[in-house]
């Protein structure tokens, strides 16, 4: 794995570790096949059958069209978003950007939902934390898009 994707601060924990809160998954009511960008220990409340951690390097793995959950490192999202678009099945939590990768996601995602500005992540020390950039949930595929719509988390375009 390229260490440039993560800034390691201790065994299995990086400066990119911002965990998605459980209530978001409860609202979507969906079980994913793979969490493709999980911390080494996984996250117990993410409803995924398996996960790829930094140790397995989710970018190097074959997602095989599986229904994926992706909350990638926001410090270098482009390769993650490109692979998510190619996989064409799942939901990604991603920051907005003026970058080319975001324009491609905007153009190709089947559904996009702007996350409420009060949204807070969970840090590894269990402190709730927000980030300065607005975030969106992007869906690819009918199952993922239907889950976003049924979540009632906001308007899906």
């Amino acid at each position: 794995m390229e260490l440039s994707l993560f800034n390691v601060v201790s065994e299995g924990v990086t400066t990119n570790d911002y965990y998605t809160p459980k209530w978001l998954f409860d609202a979507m009511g969906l079980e994913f096949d793979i969490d493709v960008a999980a911390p080494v220990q996984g996250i117990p409340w993410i409803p995924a059958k398996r996960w790829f951690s930094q140790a397995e390097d989710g970018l190097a793995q074959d997602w095989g069209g599986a229904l994926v959950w992706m909350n990638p490192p926001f410090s270098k999202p482009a390769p993650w978003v490109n692979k998510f678009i190619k996989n064409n099945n799942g939901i990604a939590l991603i920051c907005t950007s003026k970058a080319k990768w975001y324009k491609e996601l905007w153009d190709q995602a089947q559904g996009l939902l702007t996350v409420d500005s009060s949204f807070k992540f969970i840090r590894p020390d269990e402190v709730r934390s927000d980030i300065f950039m607005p975030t969106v949930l992007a869906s690819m595929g009918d199952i993922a898009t239907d889950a976003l719509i049924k979540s009632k988390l906001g308007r899906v375009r």
Side-chain angles (χ1 to χ4, degrees):
M1 173 167 99
E2 290 182 48
L3 289 178
S4 62
L5 293 178
F6 301 97
N7 296 319
V8 177
V9 292
S10 69
E11 185 71 30
V13 177
T14 73
T15 56
N16 279 309
D17 285 354
Y18 284 82
Y19 307 155
T20 309
K22 182 181 182 308
W23 63 262
L24 188 102
F25 297 103
D26 292 343
M28 291 187 290
L30 191 60
E31 182 178 31
F32 297 93
D33 295 319
I34 311 168
D35 176 352
V36 297
V40 171
Q41 73 281 3
I43 301 173
W45 61 84
I46 293 182
K49 295 172 188 166
R50 62 190 178 124
W51 68 85
F52 297 138
S53 72
Q54 296 99 316
E56 287 99 21
D57 184 3
L59 281 175
Q61 301 299 320
D62 179 12
W63 300 356
L67 181 64
V68 300
W69 165 254
M70 185 180 81
N71 175 358
F74 286 5
S75 63
K76 193 170 182 181
W80 294 91
V81 170
N82 293 336
K83 187 159 184 154
F84 177 76
I85 290 169
K86 268 181 139 172
N87 189 66
N88 199 33
N89 192 18
I91 296 177
L93 177 64
I94 196 77
C95 59
T96 60
S97 175
K98 291 182 179 182
K100 179 181 176 189
W101 63 262
Y102 187 77
K103 168 83 167 86
E104 290 171 4
L105 181 65
W106 179 266
D107 289 343
Q108 295 184 44
Q110 191 170 338
L112 287 165
L113 184 151
T114 301
V115 178
D116 187 273
S117 61
S118 64
F119 178 81
K120 300 234 185 260
F121 289 94
I122 309 294
R123 297 281 302 149
D125 57 8
E126 298 184 17
V127 171
R128 297 189 186 285
S129 179
D130 56 2
I131 60 169
F132 69 92
M133 299 175 288
T135 54
V136 298
L137 290 165
S139 65
M140 304 290 279
D142 292 339
I143 292 171
T145 303
D146 288 346
L148 274 190
I149 292 167
K150 290 175 183 173
S151 74
K152 307 274 191 230
L153 292 170
R155 181 179 174 272
V156 178
R157 81 107 192 125

